[in-house]
Amino acid sequence: MNLNLFYFHVVDSLLLTSPLLLLMIAAIVVLAADVMMPRDWRGALPWIAGIGVAASSLALAGTGINGIALTLFNGALVIDRLTFLSDAVILGGALYLIAISPRWLRGRWVPQGEYYALLLFATMAMMALAHSNELLALFLNFELLSISFYVLLGIEKRNPRSSEAGFKYFIIGSLAAAFLLMGIVFIFGATGGQTRFEAIARALDGGAVRQPLFMAVGLGLLFVGFAFKITLAPFHMYAPDVYDGAPTPVVAALATGTKVAGFTALFHVVEMVARWKGLPVGVWGAFYAAAVASMVVGNVGAVVQPNIKRLLAYSSIAHSGYMMIPLAVVLAPRPDLIGAARDAVAYYLLAYTIMTLLAFGVISTLAPEGEGPIAAWAGLGRRAPMRAAFMALAMLSLIGLPPTVGFFGKIALFGVAIDGAHIRLAVIGILASVVSVSYYLRVVIAIYMSEPAEGAGRVGFPNAAQTLALVVGAVCVFVFAIFPWLYSG
Amino acid sequence: MTAFWIVLIPALPLAAFLINGLFGRWLHRAGGWIAVACMGGSAAISIPLFIKAMFGRFEPIQVTLWQWMANGRIDISIGLRVDQLTCLMLLFVTCVSFLVFLYSMGYMAGDPGFNRFFSFLGLFDFSMLVLVLADNLPVLFVGWEGVGLCSYLLIGFYMDLAGAPEAGKKAFIVNRIGDFGFLVGMMALFSVLGTLDIQKIVAVAGQGAHGAGPLAYGGWFVTLVTLAFFLGCTGKSAQIPLFTWLPDAMAGPTPVSALIHAATMVTAGVYLIVRMSAVFVLAPITMTVIAGVAAATAFVAGSIALTQQDIKKVLAYSTVSQLGFMFLACGVGAFGAGIFHVFTHSFFKGCLFLGAGSVIHAAHAQNLDHLGGLRRRMPITAWTFLIACLSIAGLPPLAGFISKDEILWMTFASGAPGSLLLWAIAMISALMTAVYAFRAYFMAFEGRTRLSREKEHRLHESPWTMTVPMVLLAAGAIVAGALNLPGVFGEGAWRGVNGLLAPVLEPARRVAEMHAHEMHNPGLEKALMGLSIVTAVLGVALAWRYALAAWPSGAQTLARRLRPIYRISLNRWWWDDIYMKYVAGGTWFVARAATWIDRWIIDGLLHSVAGAASLASRGVRALQNGQAQAYALILLIGANIVIGIIIWFK
C-alpha cells in the first residue's frame, strides 16, 4: 500500500471510529476526575459520562447511515447499516442506564469512578464487538467486553451475591472464550490463513476450502462462544444466577447491550458464510436447535420463577431464541433473505432493548424490595401508579401485544421464517409466546390484582433523571411501533 | 400542503388528548379550552373541505404517510384518503364534536375528573377521525378499536356511580363480539385478495359485478365476508342482536352520550357499509339480512322507547331505532339516503342529548315522571328540544323529515325482496318515533311541574357554553335537510348530497342497475310523502293526548287496555334478561368448566412440571457442590451437541 493512501486510510478510520474513541476518552476523564476532584463533587461523574455518551452519539449521527459497508483499519472493523443501528441502540441504552444509576448507587458500597468508567468501557466494547470484521478483532473485542463485565458484575464488593455473579460470569466466560478462540483457529486453518470476513467469504466462494467439515466445526465452536454472550440454551445456565445477584443497572446493560453487540457480530459471521455453496447442513441444524432450545427453555423456565430478575433472565433467553429464527433461516440456506433477516433482527434488537430496559429501569427504582420476589410487587398499582403502569407496559410489550414494539418485532422475526418456508419455526415461536403470556401476566396480576402485603407502604419516589428515563422508555414502546421508519429509515 | 392540513384534522384532537392527559393536572380549565380550540381547528379545516367538495371541483386526496408493516405479502401503510364521503363525515363529526366539547366546558365544570374527561374526549375524536380518514382496513380498524376503547373509558367515567363501570364493560365486551366479525371479514378478504386497501378492494369488486374474480356477484365468499363485516356493524352501531350496550351506555356523562350517538361512534357501522358499498351490493343475501335486521331494530327499539321513564333511555332507544332506519336504507341499496340520515340525525340527536343534559344539569333529575313544566324556567333548552323533536318526528320542512322520508320512499321503491313489508314496518316505526319524541318533550317541558319544591327553586337556564351549542345544533336540525331536497321537486337544480356522493357510490349504483328494478313514480312519491306527514302529525297528537292532556289517567287506562304490548315494551322485549340468562349463563357454564379444567388438569400439569423441575434441580444439585462447575459441564455438553450435529449432518 502506498504510504499516502495508508495515511488517509488511518485518518478516515479514526474519524469513522470517533464514537468509540470519544467513549474511551470520556471513560479516562471519568477515572481522572474521580481521583482529582474533591469527594463532594462525585455527583458530576454521571454527568461527565452522560456528556461522553452524548458526544459519541453526535459523532455517530455525523458518520451517518451507510448503504454500503466500509471497512476500517485494514479490514479489522466494518461500518454498515446494521452496525449503525446497533450503535444507536447501544448508546441510547447507555444514556438510559447512566440516568437511572446515580439514585440506585446511593448508599451502596460501589466505587463511583470505576463504575461509570467501566460502564463506558463496556459500551465501547459492545460497539467494537458489533463492528468486528476480522477474527482477531472479534476475539479482542469479545474479551474486552467480557473483562468489563467481570468487574462490573462484581462491583458491589460488600455484597457477596454480586461477587458471586462476577465470578460465575468469569468462569463460564473464560470457557466460552476458549471455544471462540478454538473456532477461530479452525477457521484460520480451514481457509488457509484468512482472518478477514470478506477474505474468508471469498475463499469459501472460490472453493479454496478443501475441508468443509473443518470449517463447519470451526463455525460451531465460534457459535458456542457467541451462544454464551447472547444466552442461548444450553449455554445460558449462568444467566439466572448472574442476573439475580449483580447490580440491577449492570444486569440491564448485560441483558441488552451485550446481546445487541453479540447478535450484530454473529449476524456478520452468518453473512460471511451464507453464500457458501458447500455449507454443511449441520451448521443450520445447530442454529435451529439453539433457537428452539432457547425458546423452550427460556419460556418454560420462567413459568414457575418467583423472582423478578431471574424471571427476566429466562425471558431474555427466550427472546434470544426468537432472534435466532432469522439467522437459522438464512443458513437454511436462504441467502436471498439476508436483507429481510437483517431488518428483522435490527428492529427486534431495538424492541427488545426498549422493553427490557424499561422493565429493569422500573426494578431499579424499586430497589431493594422490588429486586427480589414478585410477591413484593403486590398492589404496586396503588403504591406507585406510574411505575406500575410502565412495568405492565413492558410486560405487555414483552408478550408481544399490539400496538407495542414487541408485537411488530415479533411480526418481523416470524415473517422471515414464513418467507423462508420455515413455518415450523414460526409456529414454535408463536406457541412459545403463548406460554410467555402466563409469566408476564403474573407480574401484571401482582401489580394490579393482589393486595399489598401487611406493612407495605408507599415506595420511594424516583428522582428526576429516573423519571425522565422511564417516561422516555415508555414512550419509545409506542413510538417505534407506530413510526418504525424513525429507526430503519 | 393539503396533506399537512389533512393530517392536522386528526392530529389536533390527539394533541388535546396528550395535553390534557399529561399536563391536565396543572392546566385545569385552560386544558378544556385548549381541547375546544383543537376541535374547533379540526372543524375549521373540515368545513372548507366540505364546501369545496359540495360546490367546487374536487378530486379525492390521497395522503400516504409512511409504511407501517411490510412483511412478505403484508404491506400496510398509514394512509389517509379524503373523498366526497369523507368530506361529509368530517363535516358533521368535527362540527358536532366541537359543539359537544364546548358544551362540556359548562357541563363538566367543577368535576374532579375535568381534564381526564377532555383527554378521553380528544382521544375519542382522534379515533373516529382516523376511522373516517383511513384508506385501508387495518388503519380503519385502529380507529374502530379506538372508539371502542374510548367509549369504555367514558361510559365508565363516573367510576363510583353504581352501574357505570359495568356499563363500560358491557359496551366493551359487546363491541368485542362485533369486532370479531370485522377481523374475520378483514382476514378473509386479505387471504383471498391479498390486499386490504379499500380502493383496491373496490376495484376487485368492480370485476365481481360482472361475475368475475373472487368477489363474484352473489357468490358465497362475498356473502360471508359482508355478513362478517355486518356483524361488526351490529356491534358498533347497536343493531339487533348487539344493541343492548347502547342504552346502558347512558351511565356516562351526558356530553359523552351526545358524542357517541351523534358523531363519534355509532355512525361508524353505517359509514363502513357505505365505504364498502361496492362489495356489499354484490351480496344480495347480505343486503336482505341487513334490511331485515334494520327494520326489526327500528321497530323493536322504537317500541321500547315509548314507555321508558328515563329521558336519556328514551333518547338511547331512539338512537337505536334511527340507526335501524339508516341500515334499512343501506339494506335496500340507498346508501346515500343512509348517510344523509346519519348526517341529519347527528344534529337533532346531538341537540336532544344536549337538551337532556341541560335538564339533568339544572333539575338534577332525569326521570320523566318527576319532571314537567320546565319550559318556563329553561326557555332556550325547551325551544331547542322542541325543534329537535319536530325534526326527529319527521315534520316538514325540517331536516329529519327530508332524510327519513327519502329512506321510506327508497324502501318502498327499491324492489328489494319484501320491500312493502319493510316499508310498512318502517312507517309504524316512524309513527312511534313521533310519539316517543313528543312524549318526552311534553312530559319534561310542558304541563305542571312535578319537581320537588326545593329542586324547582334552584332551577335555572344553563350557562352560554351549553346553550350556544344547543341553539346551533337546533339550527342544524332545521336547515340541514336543505343539502338534499327530494328529487321530485325539480330534478337537477340542486345536486345535493346524493349528487355529492355519486362518485363514491358509482360502483354500487352500477351493480344495482344491473340487478334491481327501481320504481320511478313521482306521483306516488308525493302521495307517500303526504302519508308520512300525516303519520308524524298523528304521532304528535297521540303524544299530546296521552302524555299531556290526559296524563296520567288516560295513559294508565291505555296501558291497562294494551297490557301485553305495554309489558313487552316496558321490559324491553326481555332482551337483556334473555342475554343474562342464556348467553351469560352459558358463558358462566363454560367458564366454570374451564375453571375446573384449569384447577384439576392444567394446574395439576403445572404442579407436576414444577415438581419435576424441582426434582431435576435437586438431582443436579446432588451432582455438584459449587454450581459454576455444573454450568461449565453443561456448556461443554452443549458444545459437544453442537459439534455433534455439525459432524452428523455433514
Side-chain angles (χ1 to χ4, degrees):
Chain A
M1 193 185 275
N2 180 315
L3 197 65
N4 227 346
L5 266 179
F6 179 73
Y7 172 76
F8 280 119
H9 181 74
V10 169
V11 171
D12 270 5
S13 299
L14 284 174
L15 279 178
L16 285 170
T17 47
S18 55
L20 282 79
L21 301 178
L22 283 168
L23 284 177
M24 195 169 72
I25 292 167
I28 292 167
V29 172
V30 167
L31 278 181
D34 185 42
V35 177
M36 292 191 275
M37 281 192 318
R39 288 182 68 86
D40 313 349
W41 292 13
R42 286 260 174 84
L45 292 177
W47 288 99
I48 299 174
I51 289 166
V53 174
S56 170
S57 309
L58 278 179
L60 179 71
T63 65
I65 194 162
N66 278 299
I68 47 160
L70 295 175
T71 53
L72 317 172
F73 296 119
N74 213 6
L77 300 181
V78 66
I79 289 189
D80 61 13
R81 192 180 150 75
L82 186 62
T83 63
F84 179 84
L85 296 175
S86 62
D87 281 355
V89 174
I90 290 168
L91 286 173
L95 212 50
Y96 180 92
L97 291 173
I98 290 169
I100 63 170
S101 287
R103 175 63 181 267
W104 190 87
L105 292 174
R106 210 171 63 181
R108 286 181 199 252
W109 199 267
V110 172
Q112 305 255 328
E114 281 92 327
Y115 176 85
Y116 289 108
L118 280 166
L119 204 57
L120 291 174
F121 278 129
T123 307
M124 190 198 80
M126 289 167 194
M127 291 167 67
L129 178 59
H131 285 283
S132 299
N133 194 39
E134 195 252 340
L135 291 173
L136 283 179
L138 177 74
F139 182 72
L140 277 180
N141 297 328
F142 192 93
E143 280 301 278
L144 182 58
L145 181 54
S146 293
I147 290 166
S148 310
F149 270 107
Y150 295 154
V151 185
L152 268 177
L153 291 167
I155 203 163
E156 208 184 340
K157 273 181 283 188
R158 301 249 167 131
N159 180 352
R161 287 159 47 70
S162 173
S163 310
E164 183 194 327
F167 189 68
K168 272 185 186 152
Y169 194 71
F170 172 62
I171 300 272
I172 307 294
S174 317
L175 198 59
F179 275 99
L180 188 83
L181 200 53
M182 192 73 153
I184 289 172
V185 170
F186 268 67
I187 295 173
F188 187 79
T191 54
Q194 299 296 346
T195 57
R196 281 170 37 221
F197 286 6
E198 298 97 342
I200 295 172
R202 226 174 302 127
L204 294 170
D205 257 6
V209 178
R210 302 236 185 81
Q211 298 278 354
L213 193 60
F214 215 62
M215 176 73 196
V217 169
L219 284 173
L221 294 168
L222 199 68
F223 176 62
V224 171
F226 273 107
F228 153 78
K229 265 259 145 22
I230 56 181
T231 60
L232 293 173
F235 312 100
H236 67 283
M237 299 293 287
Y238 71 93
D241 288 6
V242 169
Y243 280 36
D244 188 18
T248 302
V250 177
V251 173
L254 183 69
T256 57
T258 305
K259 287 198 180 184
V260 174
F263 263 103
T264 307
L266 184 59
F267 196 87
H268 285 141
V269 172
V270 167
E271 253 182 327
M272 172 180 84
V273 297
R275 294 186 198 284
W276 177 24
K277 292 186 189 63
L279 179 71
V281 68
V283 177
W284 165 74
F287 274 62
Y288 194 111
V292 174
S294 306
M295 287 189 275
V296 171
V297 168
N299 284 308
V300 172
V303 168
V304 291
Q305 195 43 252
N307 177 303
I308 185 77
K309 280 166 81 182
R310 293 183 85 90
L311 186 142
L312 284 174
Y314 281 108
S315 145
S316 91
I317 295 163
H319 285 270
S320 289
Y322 303 139
M323 281 189 276
M324 282 301 287
I325 291 176
L327 302 185
V329 171
V330 167
L331 288 178
R334 289 296 299 271
D336 53 312
L337 288 175
I338 285 180
R342 183 192 298 121
D343 289 348
V345 169
Y347 186 80
Y348 205 83
L349 285 173
L350 169 82
Y352 168 77
T353 301
I354 291 173
M355 50 209 190
T356 307
L357 281 183
L358 183 61
F360 274 114
V362 175
I363 293 172
S364 80
T365 66
L366 297 172
E369 298 86 7
E371 292 180 320
I374 295 170
W377 289 62
L380 194 74
R382 255 165 295 157
R383 293 189 288 149
M386 185 187 83
R387 279 170 285 171
F390 288 167
M391 191 65 178
L393 178 65
M395 293 297 125
L396 296 182
S397 184
L398 283 164
I399 291 174
L401 292 183
T404 59
V405 278
F407 171 71
F408 292 97
K410 273 188 181 154
I411 284 194
L413 292 182
F414 300 159
V416 175
I418 292 168
D419 285 350
H422 279 84
I423 310 292
R424 213 175 297 160
L425 262 183
V427 170
I428 294 171
I430 290 165
L431 287 179
S433 312
V434 172
V435 172
S436 77
V437 174
S438 72
Y439 59 86
Y440 289 128
L441 278 191
R442 211 145 46 79
V443 180
V444 179
I445 287 169
I447 289 174
Y448 285 111
M449 291 175 196
S450 312
E451 288 300 317
E454 274 306 306
R458 279 195 79 86
V459 284
F461 281 108
N463 66 11
Q466 282 176 324
T467 309
L468 183 69
L470 292 180
V471 169
V472 169
V475 168
C476 284
V477 169
F478 293 114
V479 164
F480 287 103
I482 301 169
F483 309 103
W485 48 266
L486 278 178
Y487 179 59
S488 50
Chain B
M1 203 55 212
T2 339
F4 170 75
W5 293 106
I6 285 168
V7 171
L8 216 50
I9 296 176
L12 282 170
L14 183 67
F17 160 65
L18 292 176
I19 291 170
N20 273 287
L22 294 177
F23 312 113
R25 213 188 299 173
W26 300 280
L27 286 171
H28 304 293
R29 252 185 108 63
W33 284 117
I34 290 171
V36 173
C38 286
M39 209 56 235
S42 287
I45 302 169
S46 305
I47 293 170
L49 258 179
F50 174 76
I51 291 174
K52 186 146 186 280
M54 190 82 193
F55 302 104
R57 293 171 53 82
F58 180 78
E59 283 295 316
I61 306 160
Q62 175 80 35
V63 184
T64 305
L65 292 175
W66 65 84
Q67 192 183 47
W68 192 22
M69 280 181 254
N71 209 309
R73 294 207 302 155
I74 306 170
D75 180 6
I76 298 163
S77 294
I78 304 277
L80 308 179
R81 188 181 147 85
V82 179
D83 62 7
Q84 289 86 349
L85 174 61
T86 319
C87 285
L88 183 68
M89 294 293 291
L90 284 179
L91 175 71
F92 76 83
V93 170
T94 55
C95 289
V96 173
S97 299
F98 167 67
L99 294 175
V100 171
F101 274 48
L102 181 61
Y103 179 90
S104 305
M105 286 302 296
Y107 191 87
M108 297 303 287
D111 192 284
F114 186 78
N115 293 96
R116 183 164 58 99
F117 183 76
F118 274 96
S119 73
F120 289 166
L121 280 193
L123 189 63
F124 206 173
D125 261 286
F126 165 72
S127 306
M128 186 64 189
L129 291 170
V130 167
L131 192 158
V132 170
L133 284 163
D135 84 329
N136 61 53
L137 289 174
V139 175
L140 197 150
F141 189 65
V142 170
W144 185 271
E145 288 289 298
V147 292
L149 170 70
C150 295
S151 67
Y152 164 75
L153 293 173
L154 283 165
I155 293 166
F157 183 78
Y158 295 132
M159 282 175 277
D160 308 326
L161 188 73
E166 287 76 13
K169 268 186 240 167
K170 186 170 175 180
F172 200 65
I173 292 167
V174 173
N175 264 296
R176 196 36 36 105
I177 300 171
D179 295 345
F180 166 74
F182 191 116
L183 272 176
V184 168
M186 201 157 72
M187 288 179 198
L189 270 185
F190 181 74
S191 66
V192 172
L193 304 189
T195 181
L196 287 169
D197 190 286
I198 294 172
Q199 294 308 307
K200 288 187 186 141
I201 294 171
V202 168
V204 179
Q207 303 164 4
H210 303 287
L215 297 178
Y217 179 84
W220 62 269
F221 177 70
V222 73
T223 307
L224 287 182
V225 166
T226 46
L227 279 176
F229 276 115
F230 180 59
L231 177 64
C233 298
T234 58
K236 196 73 40 186
S237 291
Q239 295 293 291
I240 289 175
L242 300 181
F243 71 92
T244 53
W245 67 269
L246 191 59
D248 286 30
M250 294 300 110
T254 308
V256 173
S257 310
L259 210 53
I260 290 179
H261 289 245
T264 53
M265 185 157 172
V266 295
T267 56
V270 187
Y271 170 76
L272 179 70
I273 289 189
V274 177
R275 177 54 80 205
M276 306 272 289
S277 55
V279 182
F280 274 85
V281 286
L282 299 175
I285 298 174
T286 309
M287 295 292 273
T288 310
V289 169
I290 294 175
V293 167
T297 309
F299 181 80
V300 168
S303 70
I304 295 173
L306 288 175
T307 56
Q308 295 304 305
Q309 293 307 323
D310 184 331
I311 185 167
K312 283 178 77 180
K313 285 262 155 108
V314 175
L315 297 182
Y317 282 105
S318 152
T319 302
V320 177
S321 175
Q322 295 300 310
L323 286 164
F325 278 98
M326 300 167 200
F327 277 103
L328 178 61
C330 294
V332 299
F335 298 102
I339 278 290
F340 187 58
H341 198 53
V342 169
F343 178 70
T344 58
H345 177 259
S346 73
F347 290 102
F348 55 72
K349 187 51 62 67
C351 183
L352 287 172
F353 265 112
L354 296 192
S358 178
V359 167
I360 297 165
H361 192 66
H364 298 285
Q366 53 194 85
N367 190 326
L368 288 170
D369 280 337
H370 303 149
L371 294 168
L374 299 181
R375 182 161 58 87
R376 281 174 292 280
R377 291 293 188 86
M378 309 178 67
I380 301 175
T381 306
W383 281 109
T384 53
F385 201 89
L386 176 63
I387 290 169
C389 281
L390 287 168
S391 193
I392 194 174
L395 282 160
L398 280 79
F401 164 75
I402 293 170
S403 58
K404 190 191 291 177
D405 195 62
E406 191 186 1
I407 293 175
L408 289 170
W409 166 249
M410 289 300 221
T411 309
F412 186 85
S414 67
S419 58
L420 260 181
L421 178 67
L422 293 175
W423 174 81
I425 297 174
M427 277 307 276
I428 299 171
S429 308
L431 173 69
M432 292 192 296
T433 306
V435 177
Y436 67 65
F438 273 88
R439 170 176 169 271
Y441 171 75
F442 287 135
M443 288 181 75
F445 293 98
E446 300 292 337
R448 287 161 52 97
T449 183
R450 297 180 290 278
L451 282 174
S452 66
R453 180 68 57 83
E454 178 202 8
K455 275 183 178 174
E456 197 198 349
H457 189 69
R458 283 188 295 155
L459 211 55
H460 58 88
E461 184 58 278
S462 298
W464 70 269
T465 45
M466 292 168 71
T467 51
V468 167
M470 278 152 43
V471 171
L472 289 175
L473 285 173
I478 300 173
V479 301
L483 282 178
N484 203 26
L485 291 174
V488 280
F489 303 119
E491 188 108 33
W494 173 241
R495 66 190 190 117
V497 165
N498 280 336
L500 172 75
L501 295 181
V504 181
L505 301 176
E506 176 63 20
R509 194 187 57 80
R510 249 181 280 142
V511 178
E513 264 177 6
M514 269 185 262
H515 299 282
H517 311 284
E518 206 172 302
M519 189 194 297
H520 285 286
N521 190 338
L524 189 58
E525 188 175 350
K526 280 178 193 158
L528 288 182
M529 197 178 283
L531 184 60
S532 74
I533 296 169
V534 171
T535 312
V537 172
L538 177 68
V540 176
L542 279 173
W544 177 80
R545 169 93 174 75
Y546 290 107
L548 189 64
W551 195 88
S553 58
Q556 280 160 0
T557 324
L558 187 70
R560 216 171 16 253
R561 222 174 276 161
L562 300 175
R563 190 165 167 71
I565 302 175
Y566 177 72
R567 268 173 52 86
I568 290 176
S569 168
L570 192 67
N571 291 308
R572 299 169 298 216
W573 295 56
W574 294 282
W575 273 104
D576 279 298
D577 306 86
I578 291 168
Y579 276 166
M580 222 41 223
K581 191 155 180 184
Y582 295 101
V583 181
T587 314
W588 263 115
F589 178 77
V590 174
R592 228 170 277 158
T595 313
W596 188 88
I597 292 171
D598 190 49
R599 181 164 307 156
W600 297 109
I601 299 181
I602 297 184
D603 275 11
L605 269 177
L606 274 183
H607 290 159
S608 47
V609 167
S614 70
L615 257 181
S617 76
R618 230 173 277 157
V620 171
R621 209 167 290 160
L623 274 175
Q624 40 147 58
N625 292 327
Q627 290 176 322
Q629 290 93 314
Y631 302 164
L633 182 66
I634 290 169
L635 189 139
L636 281 176
I637 295 171
N640 276 306
I641 295 173
V642 166
I643 303 304
I645 290 175
I646 288 173
I647 293 177
W648 184 262
F649 290 104
K650 64 173 190 216

